[in-house]
């Protein structure tokens, strides 16, 4: 996108009425072409519906008081054109799903997906090729990666599958639907400090293959996956050993072969990253510069993201954690993120 290269952007405050707002943000674009953002504020789950493409104005709706803890929200627009949100009920440590009944989520229904043990952290939601929600998440009791497949657009019931149980695995999940119609999940392997990718072999992910993508140092936290214009997975992730942003590009549908690039190596970069495919077909990645306390956006130079150019987007105070990237109806990137100072 041309405005990214020229360094043009607008920063607006989405929620100023709370001392603790903007955690675990997740942004998508509604069927009305306007951004819809799920976020945590004051130990509760909120949804903001923007009134314009740049989200200069918005209205926020309280969905649920989730209790003290991280809710790990993820939002997508369902096949019925309404937002679907996965999150953790921090009070009961369950995986929950909210189905909005209006585009601004002023009314919604909520369902519990799994209640066994401490489940639902690091959730990520997508809509499968069957039009139903599919959710990746971490089971902290069993240290496993799980996937839940909704049985209806409302997700009142779902089928749960364990995808990886080899060691402590499944944190920082991100899910996308591959060109074969099945889910592709990136996540962190705590035991081996590695980035892994699971490819589902069916809609419910009751069958899957798992690949270790990068185990060079402590890598794989804050993963974000999207499907590129070549039909293959593209994953951004944090290299905690070198404080850099890295990108892995799958060379086939299952990601059994891949290439790895150190996209941004300025130091202090890459944490809290979020990846989307821009209108030019190349990856666009929001991420946090911990050295300068700023939000940066990196634009890949090619489809495989062999390298990227990164720009400071917001440097006022300490900003850029909990970032979520999406591409607006105008073809331009939109990023929701946390301002620690405000």
């Amino acid at each position: 996108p041309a405005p990214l290269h020229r360094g043009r952007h607008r920063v607006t405050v989405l929620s100023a009425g709370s001392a603790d707002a903007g955690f675990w943000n997740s942004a998508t674009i509604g069927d009305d072409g306007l951004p819809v953002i799920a976020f945590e504020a004051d130990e509760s789950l909120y949804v903001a519906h923007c009134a314009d493409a740049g989200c200069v104005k918005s209205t926020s709706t309280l969905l649920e008081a989730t209790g003290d803890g991280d809710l790990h929200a993820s939002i997508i627009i369902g096949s019925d054109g309404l937002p679907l949100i996965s999150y953790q009920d921090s009070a009961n440590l369950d995986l929950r799903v909210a189905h909005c009944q209006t585009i601004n989520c002023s009314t919604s229904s909520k369902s519990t997906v799994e209640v066994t043990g401490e489940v639902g952290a690091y959730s990520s939601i997508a809509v499968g090729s069957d039009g139903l929600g599919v959710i990746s998440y971490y089971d902290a009791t069993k240290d496993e990666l799980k996937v839940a497949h909704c049985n209806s657009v409302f997700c009142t019931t779902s089928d749960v599958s364990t995808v990886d149980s080899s060691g402590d695995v499944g944190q920082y999940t991100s899910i996308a639907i591959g060109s074969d119609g099945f889910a592709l999940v990136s996540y962190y392997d705590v035991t081996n400090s590695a980035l892994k990718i699971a490819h589902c072999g069916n809609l419910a992910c009751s069958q899957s293959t798992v690949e270790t993508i990068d185990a060079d140092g402590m890598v794989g936290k804050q993963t974000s996956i999207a499907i590129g214009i070549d039909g293959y997975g593209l994953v951004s992730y944090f290299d905690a050993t070198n404080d850099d942003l890295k990108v892995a590009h799958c060379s086939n549908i299952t990601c059994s072969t891949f290439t790895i690039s150190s996209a941004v190596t300025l130091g202090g970069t890459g944490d809290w990253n979020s990846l989307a495919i821009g209108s030019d077909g190349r990856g666009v990645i929001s991420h946090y510069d911990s050295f300068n306390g700023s939000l940066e956006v990196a634009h890949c130079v090619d489809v495989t993201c062999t390298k990227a150019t990164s720009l400071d987007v917001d440097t006022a105070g300490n900003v850029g954690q909990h970032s979520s990237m999406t591409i607006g109806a105008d073809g331009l990137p939109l990023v929701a993120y946390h301002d620690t100072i405000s």
Side-chain angles (χ1 to χ4, degrees):
L4 183 61
H5 292 299
R6 292 197 296 266
R8 293 168 50 189
H9 54 268
R10 176 191 290 122
V11 176
T12 61
V13 178
L14 181 67
S15 178
S18 169
D20 294 301
F23 299 104
W24 300 106
N25 303 302
S26 181
T28 190
I29 304 300
D31 274 11
D32 58 359
L34 300 175
V36 188
I37 303 166
F39 64 97
E40 178 185 344
D42 295 328
E43 302 175 3
S44 299
L45 173 63
Y46 285 81
V47 171
H49 180 248
C50 299
D52 52 88
C55 209
V56 176
K57 295 182 179 180
S58 63
T59 56
S60 294
T61 300
L62 169 65
L63 258 68
E64 185 174 351
T66 56
D68 186 14
D70 299 327
L71 59 83
H72 301 270
S74 180
I75 191 170
I76 196 72
I77 302 301
S79 55
D80 60 356
L82 298 172
L84 195 65
I85 307 160
S86 63
Y87 61 101
Q88 186 181 52
D89 177 350
S90 303
N92 298 304
L93 300 176
D94 300 334
L95 175 64
R96 300 264 285 167
V97 171
H99 175 262
C100 299
Q101 295 164 345
T102 56
I103 192 63
N104 64 0
C105 220
S106 57
T107 58
S108 63
S109 61
K110 304 170 192 68
S111 305
T112 300
V113 175
E114 186 177 2
V115 299
T116 306
E118 183 180 342
V119 294
Y122 304 105
S123 79
S124 181
I125 193 167
V127 174
S129 54
D130 58 356
L132 302 178
V134 58
I135 308 163
S136 59
Y137 61 100
Y138 177 55
D139 181 333
T141 299
K142 296 182 178 180
D143 297 334
E144 295 175 344
L145 170 69
K146 289 185 172 181
V147 168
H149 177 256
C150 300
N151 292 323
S152 68
V153 293
F154 311 107
C155 205
T156 50
T157 63
S158 59
D159 297 317
V160 174
S161 300
T162 298
V163 176
D164 191 355
S165 59
S166 56
D168 187 354
V169 292
Q171 295 183 21
Y172 302 99
T173 81
S174 181
I175 193 168
I177 305 302
S179 54
D180 60 353
F182 300 144
L184 201 62
V185 184
S186 60
Y187 58 101
Y188 181 53
D189 178 339
V190 178
T191 300
N192 298 295
S193 301
L195 170 71
K196 299 178 82 172
I197 289 181
H199 173 260
C200 297
N202 54 28
L203 290 171
C205 209
S206 59
Q207 301 173 6
S208 59
T209 58
V210 172
E211 304 289 345
T212 298
I213 305 300
D214 191 352
D216 185 13
M218 184 178 291
V219 293
K221 291 184 176 182
Q222 305 295 349
T223 75
S224 183
I225 193 168
I227 306 302
I229 58 171
D230 56 2
Y232 301 141
L234 190 69
V235 186
S236 61
Y237 59 101
F238 181 47
D239 179 345
T241 299
N242 297 297
D243 273 333
D244 289 333
L245 175 68
K246 298 183 81 172
V247 174
H249 174 260
C250 301
S251 304
N252 56 23
I253 289 174
T254 63
C255 211
S256 59
T257 60
F258 49 85
T259 58
I260 295 173
S261 303
S262 296
V264 180
T265 58
L266 302 175
T269 56
D271 205 359
W272 296 106
N273 65 80
S274 181
L275 168 72
I277 304 301
S279 55
D280 60 356
R282 291 179 276 165
V284 188
I285 309 164
S286 60
H287 61 102
Y288 176 56
D289 179 346
S290 61
F291 285 0
N292 298 300
S294 60
L295 172 72
E296 293 191 4
V297 172
H299 184 227
C300 297
V301 301
D302 51 31
V303 171
T304 61
C305 205
T306 52
K307 62 179 180 178
T309 56
S310 195
L311 298 172
D312 288 326
V313 174
D314 190 353
T315 60
N318 185 9
V319 293
Q321 297 180 40
H322 298 269
S323 81
S324 179
M325 164 76 72
T326 191
I327 304 300
D330 57 2
L332 300 176
L334 181 99
V335 187
Y337 57 100
H338 178 55
D339 181 339
T340 303
I341 304 300
S342 296

